[in-house]
Each structure stands twice: as C-alpha cells, then as structure tokens.
Amino acid sequence: MSGAVDLSALKQPAAAAGDVPGDHAVTEANFEDRVLRRSTQVPVVVALYSQRSPGSIELVKLLEQLVGRSGGDWDLATVEAEANMRIAQAFGVQGIPTVVAVAAGQPLADFTGNQPEEQVTQWIAAVVDAVRGKLPGVGAETAAAEPEAPEDPRFVAAEEALERGEFDNAVAAYEAILAAEPNNAEAKAALRQVQFLSRVQDLDPAAVAKSDADPADLDAAIAAADLEMFNQEPEAAFDRLVAQVKRTAGDDRTKARTHLLELFELFDPAEPIVVAARRKLAAALY
C-alpha cells in the first residue's frame, strides 16, 4: 500500500460520526492531528476494525498492549471503520481488520487480517527500523532515559581550578591526565585552551595598536594576535601572523609560524576559518 493512497483529503475533518472508546481512538474529526501530524514525529500504526468483528477487536487490544510498552518509538490510532468510512475509503480497505503504518503523512506498510503477536511485533519493529534516523521522535525517549555518564573527577578538579582563576593548577591537572592517558583528546584540547587563557591574562590592552604602529615587531604581532583571539577575532589574528610569516625568515619565520599553528589548535581543524587560514599560510611559505 506504500504510496498508493492519498490521505490529503482527510486534512479537512468531517463531523465526527460518534466517539470510539479508548485512548487511541481516532475519528475523521481528529485524523489530521492524531495521524498525519503525529506521523511526522513517529510512525503511526492505524488499526481499522469493526465492532461486529471480535477478531479485529482482539487485534486492537494486542496493539494497545504493544504500544504501551513501545518506549514511544511509534503511536497507535484505532479507527472504527463503519463509523469513519472516509478513512476506510482513503486507505482502500478491503477487509477487517486492516493495519497500516503511516510515516511522514504517507502509508509505509500494511497487513490485513489477524496475525499472531510474534508476527505483529516483528512487523512493527521493521516499520520502526525503516524510519529510524528519518523521524525525530524515533529513539528520542530511549535516548532521554539513558543515564548520563558520571563526571570524571580529574576533569572536575581541573575545571574548578580554572573557575577559581588558578591557571597553573588547571594546567597541572590536565597534564596529569595526559601523563596517564597520552591520547586523551579532551584533555589535550582543554590544556591548549587553559594555556592560552593563562597567557592572555597579562596582555597589554593596547597590544593591537602597538603592533599596527610597528608591523615589523614580531613580538608585538604575536601579542596582538593573542589579544585578537581573546576578543573573538580569530581571522584578524590569523591574518596578522600570516603577514609575519610572509615578511620574516629563519628563526623569526619559524616563531611566527609556530605561534600561528598553536592558535589553529584552539579550533576544530575543519572550521572554515582555519581551513582558509591554512591556505594563506601555505601560500606565504611557498
């Protein structure tokens, strides 16, 4: 049935033909909200049944049990077909019961007739798997219920030292983590950030103006680049040091390049501003 029926006509609700008992009961009046809109979050299993069909009522009861322990990955809409003929016609129902999975407003899969619990469970699991990663509500409740990993006390101690302005202690804490775990990426990144923050605490607020007044002063340029970085002007900082790489040679060029690379390490390597600055550096070197 996937894609074979048009549910858009049901976006204009008809007058309800009488309420159907149950928390998941859906009529023509609320079909748009309970099925079409809801299916943009999770798949909605629409069960069309008849009060005159005991077998179809048993299937509805089974589905109500299953959705109750589903974890929120899918929802259920039970429709009394004879009281809601437009819904039955929209789905092209040929027999009772008919069960249709709707996702993003479109039929995805269906079956007709009673099925044993195991097969119904497998069918629903296949529906959920088919839309996982495509609908925002699938897996959301499970993810929210997962307990957070306990905080690493070593990182907590380092962060608390940083909050107190104890940069040397924070650096020592991160270095201790790296001594035990040399490949700990989180500690490496945090250490670079703390070392930078420690370095800029004593910078002259006029560092940028001093560097602009004497572009040939490499140390002034490095201090100005640090201040620009601290002031969240990374492109200006990068451009200033690239200019130093262009104009210097020997040890001075190495010093300017090394400092620029240290500033790059404060960012994700894939950041566009870093990628662009690396291109400028390469051009300046070669």
Side-chain angles (χ1 to χ4, degrees), residues 8-279:
S8 60
L10 294 170
K11 290 185 178 180
Q12 299 297 327
D19 291 337
V20 180
D23 293 339
H24 302 283
V26 168
T27 67
E28 293 172 15
N30 62 3
F31 183 88
E32 180 180 2
D33 184 56
R34 295 286 298 275
V35 176
L36 298 183
R37 290 180 182 171
R38 178 60 173 152
S39 73
T40 64
Q41 299 295 314
V42 295
V44 178
V45 172
V46 181
L48 295 112
Y49 72 100
S50 170
Q51 293 286 3
R52 297 189 296 173
S53 169
S56 68
I57 294 175
E58 287 301 314
L59 180 60
V60 166
K61 291 180 179 179
L62 170 61
L63 289 168
E64 288 176 336
Q65 293 173 9
L66 295 177
V67 75
R69 54 180 188 259
S70 69
D73 279 344
W74 61 281
D75 207 346
L76 175 65
T78 59
V79 179
E80 213 291 324
E82 293 172 343
N84 299 277
M85 289 303 298
R86 289 209 311 157
I87 298 177
Q89 290 167 0
F91 283 116
V93 171
Q94 298 295 315
I96 293 295
T98 291
V99 178
V100 185
V102 178
Q106 296 295 321
L108 177 66
D110 66 282
F111 68 83
T112 301
N114 285 340
Q115 303 289 338
E117 179 176 348
E118 182 179 358
Q119 286 185 256
V120 174
T121 301
Q122 291 175 354
W123 182 84
I124 292 172
V127 167
V128 171
D129 286 342
V131 299
R132 194 177 301 279
K134 300 175 184 177
L135 296 181
V138 177
E141 185 170 315
T142 301
E146 290 179 357
E148 293 184 8
E151 290 188 277
D152 188 324
R154 300 173 302 171
F155 282 91
V156 172
E159 289 161 6
E160 289 176 349
L162 182 59
E163 289 173 0
R164 294 192 298 269
E166 299 172 359
F167 294 101
D168 290 344
N169 289 339
V171 167
Y174 286 122
E175 287 178 340
I177 295 172
L178 288 171
E181 303 173 28
N183 295 321
N184 191 308
E186 184 181 355
K188 285 181 181 179
L191 178 60
R192 287 192 290 265
Q193 294 285 344
V194 173
Q195 288 173 330
F196 171 75
L197 290 173
S198 176
R199 187 169 75 229
V200 300
Q201 296 305 304
D202 298 323
L203 280 179
D204 184 348
V208 172
K210 289 181 178 179
S211 177
D212 290 343
D214 185 4
D217 187 334
L218 175 58
D219 289 335
I222 289 174
D226 278 353
L227 185 60
E228 287 169 327
M229 185 67 66
F230 183 71
N231 290 333
Q232 299 183 19
E233 301 173 8
E235 291 178 272
F238 294 160
D239 287 345
R240 186 179 297 275
L241 292 180
V242 168
Q244 290 296 318
V245 171
K246 285 182 179 179
R247 62 165 295 279
T248 56
D251 290 344
D252 282 350
R253 171 177 273 200
T254 299
K255 184 176 181 179
R257 175 179 173 274
T258 299
H259 199 83
L260 179 56
L261 294 177
E262 288 176 357
L263 294 186
F264 286 165
E265 290 181 344
L266 297 174
F267 296 85
D268 185 319
E271 282 281 347
I273 57 172
V274 175
V275 173
R278 284 189 179 277
R279 290 196 187 107

